[in-house]
Amino acid sequence: MQKDVCRSRAAFAGVLLPDFAHHKLMLARDQLLLLSQLAGSRGEEQEVEFRIAPDALAELFDRQAQYLDEVLDSVLDAPP
């Protein structure tokens, strides 16, 4: 068994990712969940406006794209 391969439920479906790729996907998921929570409704009682600076938002999306590029590169460059 290789130590640098993530073993998850997806692995049983035929998808094996290197640990770093799995980690990058988890980071992407966590950041998207954070954005979702920030953008989500706060209920009727908490009408608080929350603003994210455009530069910060752009940086977050750039980071997401970088994470996904690294994962895709690891999958596409993997031997069959």
Side-chain angles (χ1 to χ4, degrees):
M1 173 161 62
Q2 295 177 345
K3 291 185 180 182
D4 64 338
V5 173
C6 177
R7 302 285 182 201
S8 67
R9 290 180 295 203
F12 296 111
V15 178
L16 293 177
L17 292 176
D19 281 339
F20 84 90
H22 186 260
H23 178 70
K24 295 289 184 177
L25 284 176
M26 289 186 348
L27 288 173
R29 178 207 56 203
D30 291 346
Q31 290 179 6
L32 289 172
L33 285 173
L34 175 63
L35 273 179
S36 172
Q37 291 172 358
L38 291 173
S41 66
R42 292 171 172 71
E44 294 176 14
E45 297 175 8
Q46 297 179 355
E47 298 263 344
V48 177
E49 186 173 322
F50 185 83
R51 294 179 188 214
I52 299 175
D55 290 344
L57 195 57
E59 181 181 335
L60 182 94
F61 286 132
D62 285 342
R63 196 177 314 147
Q64 296 297 313
Q66 180 184 1
Y67 291 162
L68 294 177
D69 281 343
E70 291 173 4
V71 171
L72 287 172
D73 286 344
S74 73
V75 172
L76 296 176
D77 292 341

